Short mmCIF file of all heavy atoms in Angstrom, two decimals:
data_model
loop_
_atom_site.label_atom_id
_atom_site.label_comp_id
_atom_site.label_asym_id
_atom_site.label_seq_id
_atom_site.Cartn_x
_atom_site.Cartn_y
_atom_site.Cartn_z
N SER A 13 -8.20 -18.21 -28.37
CA SER A 13 -8.44 -17.89 -26.97
C SER A 13 -8.90 -19.13 -26.21
O SER A 13 -8.42 -19.41 -25.10
CB SER A 13 -9.49 -16.79 -26.87
OG SER A 13 -9.78 -16.50 -25.53
N ALA A 14 -9.81 -19.89 -26.78
CA ALA A 14 -10.28 -21.12 -26.13
C ALA A 14 -9.14 -22.12 -25.99
O ALA A 14 -8.99 -22.77 -24.95
CB ALA A 14 -11.41 -21.73 -26.95
N PHE A 15 -8.31 -22.25 -27.02
CA PHE A 15 -7.16 -23.16 -26.95
C PHE A 15 -6.21 -22.72 -25.84
O PHE A 15 -5.67 -23.53 -25.10
CB PHE A 15 -6.43 -23.22 -28.29
CG PHE A 15 -5.22 -24.10 -28.25
CD1 PHE A 15 -5.35 -25.47 -28.21
CD2 PHE A 15 -3.96 -23.54 -28.23
CE1 PHE A 15 -4.23 -26.28 -28.16
CE2 PHE A 15 -2.83 -24.34 -28.19
CZ PHE A 15 -2.97 -25.72 -28.16
N GLY A 16 -6.00 -21.42 -25.72
CA GLY A 16 -5.13 -20.91 -24.67
C GLY A 16 -5.64 -21.25 -23.29
O GLY A 16 -4.87 -21.63 -22.40
N TRP A 17 -6.96 -21.13 -23.07
CA TRP A 17 -7.52 -21.48 -21.76
C TRP A 17 -7.34 -22.96 -21.47
O TRP A 17 -7.10 -23.35 -20.33
CB TRP A 17 -9.00 -21.09 -21.69
CG TRP A 17 -9.18 -19.65 -21.38
CD1 TRP A 17 -9.63 -18.68 -22.22
CD2 TRP A 17 -8.91 -19.00 -20.15
NE1 TRP A 17 -9.64 -17.47 -21.58
CE2 TRP A 17 -9.21 -17.64 -20.31
CE3 TRP A 17 -8.43 -19.44 -18.92
CZ2 TRP A 17 -9.04 -16.71 -19.29
CZ3 TRP A 17 -8.27 -18.51 -17.90
CH2 TRP A 17 -8.57 -17.17 -18.09
N LEU A 18 -7.46 -23.80 -22.50
CA LEU A 18 -7.23 -25.22 -22.29
C LEU A 18 -5.77 -25.50 -21.98
O LEU A 18 -5.45 -26.39 -21.20
CB LEU A 18 -7.66 -26.02 -23.53
CG LEU A 18 -9.16 -26.07 -23.79
CD1 LEU A 18 -9.41 -26.74 -25.14
CD2 LEU A 18 -9.87 -26.81 -22.68
N PHE A 19 -4.88 -24.74 -22.57
CA PHE A 19 -3.45 -24.97 -22.40
C PHE A 19 -2.98 -24.51 -21.03
O PHE A 19 -2.24 -25.23 -20.34
CB PHE A 19 -2.68 -24.24 -23.51
CG PHE A 19 -1.21 -24.46 -23.45
CD1 PHE A 19 -0.66 -25.69 -23.76
CD2 PHE A 19 -0.36 -23.43 -23.08
CE1 PHE A 19 0.70 -25.90 -23.70
CE2 PHE A 19 0.99 -23.63 -23.02
CZ PHE A 19 1.53 -24.86 -23.33
N ILE A 20 -3.37 -23.30 -20.58
CA ILE A 20 -2.86 -22.78 -19.31
C ILE A 20 -3.75 -23.12 -18.13
O ILE A 20 -3.32 -23.07 -16.98
CB ILE A 20 -2.64 -21.26 -19.35
CG1 ILE A 20 -3.95 -20.52 -19.53
CG2 ILE A 20 -1.64 -20.87 -20.40
CD1 ILE A 20 -3.83 -19.03 -19.32
N GLY A 21 -5.00 -23.45 -18.36
CA GLY A 21 -5.92 -23.75 -17.28
C GLY A 21 -6.45 -22.48 -16.65
O GLY A 21 -6.09 -21.36 -17.04
N PRO A 22 -7.30 -22.62 -15.65
CA PRO A 22 -7.86 -21.43 -15.00
C PRO A 22 -6.79 -20.67 -14.22
O PRO A 22 -5.87 -21.26 -13.67
CB PRO A 22 -8.93 -22.00 -14.08
CG PRO A 22 -8.55 -23.42 -13.87
CD PRO A 22 -7.82 -23.86 -15.10
N VAL A 23 -6.92 -19.38 -14.18
CA VAL A 23 -5.97 -18.53 -13.47
C VAL A 23 -6.39 -18.47 -12.01
O VAL A 23 -7.55 -18.20 -11.69
CB VAL A 23 -5.95 -17.11 -14.09
CG1 VAL A 23 -5.01 -16.21 -13.35
CG2 VAL A 23 -5.58 -17.20 -15.55
N PRO A 24 -5.46 -18.74 -11.06
CA PRO A 24 -5.83 -18.70 -9.64
C PRO A 24 -6.16 -17.28 -9.19
O PRO A 24 -5.65 -16.30 -9.73
CB PRO A 24 -4.59 -19.22 -8.93
CG PRO A 24 -3.48 -18.98 -9.87
CD PRO A 24 -4.06 -19.06 -11.25
N LEU A 25 -7.03 -17.18 -8.21
CA LEU A 25 -7.38 -15.88 -7.65
C LEU A 25 -6.19 -15.28 -6.92
O LEU A 25 -5.32 -16.00 -6.42
CB LEU A 25 -8.56 -16.02 -6.67
CG LEU A 25 -9.86 -16.52 -7.27
CD1 LEU A 25 -10.88 -16.74 -6.18
CD2 LEU A 25 -10.38 -15.53 -8.29
N ALA A 26 -6.15 -13.97 -6.86
CA ALA A 26 -5.05 -13.28 -6.17
C ALA A 26 -5.11 -13.62 -4.68
O ALA A 26 -6.18 -13.73 -4.09
CB ALA A 26 -5.15 -11.79 -6.38
N GLU A 27 -3.95 -13.80 -4.09
CA GLU A 27 -3.92 -14.13 -2.67
C GLU A 27 -4.32 -12.92 -1.83
O GLU A 27 -4.09 -11.78 -2.21
CB GLU A 27 -2.53 -14.61 -2.28
CG GLU A 27 -1.45 -13.57 -2.48
CD GLU A 27 -0.06 -14.11 -2.22
OE1 GLU A 27 0.25 -15.18 -2.75
OE2 GLU A 27 0.68 -13.44 -1.50
N ARG A 28 -4.92 -13.19 -0.70
CA ARG A 28 -5.36 -12.12 0.20
C ARG A 28 -4.16 -11.60 0.97
O ARG A 28 -3.34 -12.37 1.49
CB ARG A 28 -6.39 -12.64 1.19
CG ARG A 28 -7.68 -13.02 0.53
CD ARG A 28 -8.34 -11.81 0.02
NE ARG A 28 -9.74 -11.82 0.41
CZ ARG A 28 -10.54 -10.83 0.17
NH1 ARG A 28 -10.09 -9.77 -0.41
NH2 ARG A 28 -11.78 -10.89 0.52
N ARG A 29 -4.05 -10.30 1.07
CA ARG A 29 -2.98 -9.68 1.85
C ARG A 29 -3.58 -9.05 3.10
O ARG A 29 -4.69 -8.53 3.06
CB ARG A 29 -2.28 -8.60 1.04
CG ARG A 29 -1.53 -9.15 -0.14
CD ARG A 29 -0.80 -8.07 -0.86
NE ARG A 29 -0.14 -8.62 -2.02
CZ ARG A 29 0.46 -7.90 -2.93
NH1 ARG A 29 0.47 -6.60 -2.82
NH2 ARG A 29 1.05 -8.47 -3.95
N PRO A 30 -2.84 -9.08 4.21
CA PRO A 30 -3.37 -8.43 5.41
C PRO A 30 -3.43 -6.92 5.21
O PRO A 30 -2.67 -6.36 4.42
CB PRO A 30 -2.36 -8.80 6.50
CG PRO A 30 -1.11 -9.14 5.77
CD PRO A 30 -1.54 -9.68 4.42
N PRO A 31 -4.34 -6.23 5.89
CA PRO A 31 -4.43 -4.77 5.75
C PRO A 31 -3.15 -4.09 6.21
O PRO A 31 -2.44 -4.60 7.10
CB PRO A 31 -5.62 -4.39 6.62
CG PRO A 31 -5.80 -5.53 7.56
CD PRO A 31 -5.28 -6.76 6.86
N LEU A 32 -2.85 -2.97 5.62
CA LEU A 32 -1.65 -2.23 6.00
C LEU A 32 -1.81 -1.64 7.40
O LEU A 32 -2.88 -1.20 7.78
CB LEU A 32 -1.39 -1.11 4.99
CG LEU A 32 -1.08 -1.58 3.57
CD1 LEU A 32 -0.91 -0.37 2.66
CD2 LEU A 32 0.16 -2.44 3.53
N ALA A 33 -0.72 -1.63 8.14
CA ALA A 33 -0.75 -1.13 9.52
C ALA A 33 0.18 0.06 9.69
O ALA A 33 0.80 0.22 10.73
CB ALA A 33 -0.39 -2.25 10.48
N GLY A 34 0.32 0.88 8.67
CA GLY A 34 1.18 2.05 8.78
C GLY A 34 2.54 1.81 8.14
O GLY A 34 2.80 0.74 7.59
N PRO A 35 3.41 2.79 8.23
CA PRO A 35 4.73 2.66 7.62
C PRO A 35 5.57 1.57 8.29
O PRO A 35 5.40 1.26 9.47
CB PRO A 35 5.37 4.03 7.85
CG PRO A 35 4.27 4.94 8.18
CD PRO A 35 3.20 4.11 8.79
N ALA A 36 6.48 1.01 7.54
CA ALA A 36 7.37 -0.03 8.05
C ALA A 36 8.38 0.58 9.02
O ALA A 36 8.60 1.79 9.04
CB ALA A 36 8.10 -0.68 6.88
N PRO A 37 9.03 -0.25 9.83
CA PRO A 37 10.07 0.27 10.72
C PRO A 37 11.17 0.96 9.92
O PRO A 37 11.51 0.55 8.82
CB PRO A 37 10.62 -0.98 11.42
CG PRO A 37 9.55 -1.99 11.28
CD PRO A 37 8.82 -1.68 10.01
N LEU A 38 11.71 2.01 10.45
CA LEU A 38 12.77 2.84 9.84
C LEU A 38 12.29 3.61 8.62
O LEU A 38 13.09 4.17 7.89
CB LEU A 38 14.00 2.02 9.50
CG LEU A 38 14.70 1.33 10.68
CD1 LEU A 38 15.89 0.53 10.20
CD2 LEU A 38 15.13 2.32 11.74
N HIS A 39 10.99 3.65 8.38
CA HIS A 39 10.44 4.48 7.31
C HIS A 39 10.57 5.94 7.76
O HIS A 39 10.44 6.24 8.95
CB HIS A 39 8.98 4.11 7.07
CG HIS A 39 8.40 4.75 5.85
ND1 HIS A 39 7.91 6.03 5.85
CD2 HIS A 39 8.24 4.28 4.60
CE1 HIS A 39 7.47 6.32 4.65
NE2 HIS A 39 7.66 5.28 3.87
N PRO A 40 10.84 6.87 6.86
CA PRO A 40 11.03 8.28 7.27
C PRO A 40 9.87 8.84 8.10
O PRO A 40 10.08 9.68 8.96
CB PRO A 40 11.17 9.02 5.95
CG PRO A 40 11.65 8.01 4.98
CD PRO A 40 11.08 6.69 5.44
N GLU A 41 8.65 8.37 7.88
CA GLU A 41 7.53 8.89 8.65
C GLU A 41 7.57 8.43 10.10
O GLU A 41 6.94 9.02 10.96
CB GLU A 41 6.21 8.47 8.01
CG GLU A 41 5.95 9.17 6.70
CD GLU A 41 4.64 8.75 6.07
OE1 GLU A 41 3.93 7.93 6.66
OE2 GLU A 41 4.34 9.27 4.99
N ARG A 42 8.33 7.38 10.40
CA ARG A 42 8.45 6.92 11.78
C ARG A 42 9.69 7.46 12.46
O ARG A 42 9.87 7.28 13.66
CB ARG A 42 8.48 5.40 11.82
CG ARG A 42 7.20 4.77 11.45
CD ARG A 42 7.17 3.36 11.96
NE ARG A 42 5.94 2.75 11.51
CZ ARG A 42 5.10 2.15 12.32
NH1 ARG A 42 5.35 2.08 13.59
NH2 ARG A 42 4.01 1.61 11.85
N LEU A 43 10.57 8.12 11.73
CA LEU A 43 11.83 8.56 12.31
C LEU A 43 11.71 9.86 13.09
O LEU A 43 12.53 10.13 13.95
CB LEU A 43 12.89 8.70 11.21
CG LEU A 43 13.27 7.40 10.51
CD1 LEU A 43 14.29 7.68 9.42
CD2 LEU A 43 13.81 6.39 11.50
N CYS A 44 10.71 10.69 12.83
CA CYS A 44 10.58 12.00 13.47
C CYS A 44 9.20 12.20 14.08
O CYS A 44 8.48 13.12 13.70
CB CYS A 44 10.87 13.11 12.46
SG CYS A 44 12.49 13.03 11.74
N PRO A 45 8.81 11.40 15.08
CA PRO A 45 7.47 11.58 15.63
C PRO A 45 7.34 12.87 16.43
O PRO A 45 6.24 13.37 16.61
CB PRO A 45 7.29 10.35 16.52
CG PRO A 45 8.66 9.94 16.88
CD PRO A 45 9.52 10.31 15.70
N GLU A 46 8.45 13.43 16.92
CA GLU A 46 8.39 14.64 17.73
C GLU A 46 8.23 15.91 16.88
O GLU A 46 7.90 16.96 17.41
CB GLU A 46 9.65 14.77 18.61
CG GLU A 46 10.94 15.04 17.86
CD GLU A 46 11.56 13.81 17.22
OE1 GLU A 46 11.16 12.68 17.49
OE2 GLU A 46 12.49 14.01 16.42
N ARG A 47 8.43 15.78 15.60
CA ARG A 47 8.34 16.94 14.71
C ARG A 47 6.90 17.15 14.28
O ARG A 47 6.26 16.24 13.75
CB ARG A 47 9.21 16.66 13.48
CG ARG A 47 9.70 17.86 12.80
CD ARG A 47 10.75 17.52 11.79
NE ARG A 47 10.66 18.55 10.78
CZ ARG A 47 11.17 18.48 9.61
NH1 ARG A 47 11.82 17.42 9.24
NH2 ARG A 47 11.05 19.48 8.78
N PRO A 48 6.33 18.35 14.49
CA PRO A 48 4.93 18.57 14.12
C PRO A 48 4.75 18.65 12.60
O PRO A 48 5.68 18.93 11.86
CB PRO A 48 4.60 19.91 14.78
CG PRO A 48 5.92 20.60 14.90
CD PRO A 48 6.94 19.52 15.10
N LEU A 49 3.51 18.40 12.19
CA LEU A 49 3.19 18.48 10.76
C LEU A 49 3.16 19.93 10.30
O LEU A 49 2.78 20.83 11.05
CB LEU A 49 1.83 17.84 10.49
CG LEU A 49 1.70 16.34 10.77
CD1 LEU A 49 0.28 15.89 10.54
CD2 LEU A 49 2.65 15.55 9.90
N THR A 50 3.52 20.14 9.06
CA THR A 50 3.44 21.47 8.47
C THR A 50 1.99 21.76 8.10
O THR A 50 1.16 20.84 8.05
CB THR A 50 4.32 21.56 7.20
OG1 THR A 50 3.77 20.68 6.22
CG2 THR A 50 5.76 21.18 7.49
N PRO A 51 1.62 23.03 7.84
CA PRO A 51 0.25 23.32 7.42
C PRO A 51 -0.17 22.55 6.16
O PRO A 51 -1.30 22.10 6.05
CB PRO A 51 0.26 24.83 7.18
CG PRO A 51 1.35 25.34 8.04
CD PRO A 51 2.39 24.25 8.07
N LEU A 52 0.75 22.40 5.22
CA LEU A 52 0.44 21.63 4.01
C LEU A 52 0.16 20.17 4.36
O LEU A 52 -0.78 19.56 3.84
CB LEU A 52 1.60 21.73 3.01
CG LEU A 52 1.45 20.88 1.75
CD1 LEU A 52 0.23 21.30 0.94
CD2 LEU A 52 2.70 20.95 0.91
N GLU A 53 0.96 19.60 5.26
CA GLU A 53 0.75 18.22 5.66
C GLU A 53 -0.59 18.04 6.38
O GLU A 53 -1.27 17.04 6.21
CB GLU A 53 1.91 17.74 6.53
CG GLU A 53 3.21 17.59 5.75
CD GLU A 53 4.42 17.36 6.63
OE1 GLU A 53 4.39 17.78 7.81
OE2 GLU A 53 5.40 16.77 6.15
N HIS A 54 -0.95 19.03 7.21
CA HIS A 54 -2.25 18.98 7.87
C HIS A 54 -3.38 19.02 6.85
O HIS A 54 -4.37 18.28 6.96
CB HIS A 54 -2.40 20.15 8.86
CG HIS A 54 -1.80 19.89 10.20
ND1 HIS A 54 -2.25 18.92 11.05
CD2 HIS A 54 -0.76 20.49 10.83
CE1 HIS A 54 -1.53 18.92 12.15
NE2 HIS A 54 -0.60 19.85 12.04
N ALA A 55 -3.25 19.88 5.85
CA ALA A 55 -4.29 19.99 4.81
C ALA A 55 -4.39 18.67 4.03
O ALA A 55 -5.50 18.21 3.73
CB ALA A 55 -3.97 21.15 3.86
N LEU A 56 -3.26 18.07 3.72
CA LEU A 56 -3.28 16.79 3.00
C LEU A 56 -3.90 15.68 3.86
O LEU A 56 -4.67 14.86 3.36
CB LEU A 56 -1.86 16.40 2.58
CG LEU A 56 -1.23 17.25 1.47
CD1 LEU A 56 0.23 16.88 1.30
CD2 LEU A 56 -1.99 17.07 0.17
N GLU A 57 -3.60 15.69 5.15
CA GLU A 57 -4.17 14.71 6.04
C GLU A 57 -5.70 14.85 6.12
O GLU A 57 -6.44 13.87 6.06
CB GLU A 57 -3.56 14.82 7.44
CG GLU A 57 -4.09 13.79 8.41
CD GLU A 57 -3.49 13.94 9.79
OE1 GLU A 57 -3.23 15.09 10.22
OE2 GLU A 57 -3.32 12.91 10.44
N ARG A 58 -6.17 16.10 6.23
CA ARG A 58 -7.62 16.34 6.27
C ARG A 58 -8.27 15.87 4.96
O ARG A 58 -9.35 15.28 4.97
CB ARG A 58 -7.90 17.82 6.49
CG ARG A 58 -7.83 18.26 7.93
CD ARG A 58 -8.42 19.63 8.12
NE ARG A 58 -7.82 20.66 7.27
CZ ARG A 58 -6.73 21.37 7.57
NH1 ARG A 58 -6.13 21.18 8.72
NH2 ARG A 58 -6.28 22.27 6.74
N GLN A 59 -7.60 16.14 3.83
CA GLN A 59 -8.14 15.76 2.53
C GLN A 59 -8.20 14.23 2.40
O GLN A 59 -9.18 13.68 1.90
CB GLN A 59 -7.29 16.35 1.43
CG GLN A 59 -7.79 16.07 0.04
CD GLN A 59 -6.89 16.66 -1.04
OE1 GLN A 59 -5.82 17.19 -0.73
NE2 GLN A 59 -7.31 16.55 -2.26
#
């Protein structure tokens, strides 16, 4: 294990990603904004 750390060096930290801002363009959730949510969808949203 020590030899491996010397061979590969320290592992870089994961890069920071910007926070998500909702579904991408043309995602199915953006295609039907005029359609109301079903009771199940409302319950899932509340949860």
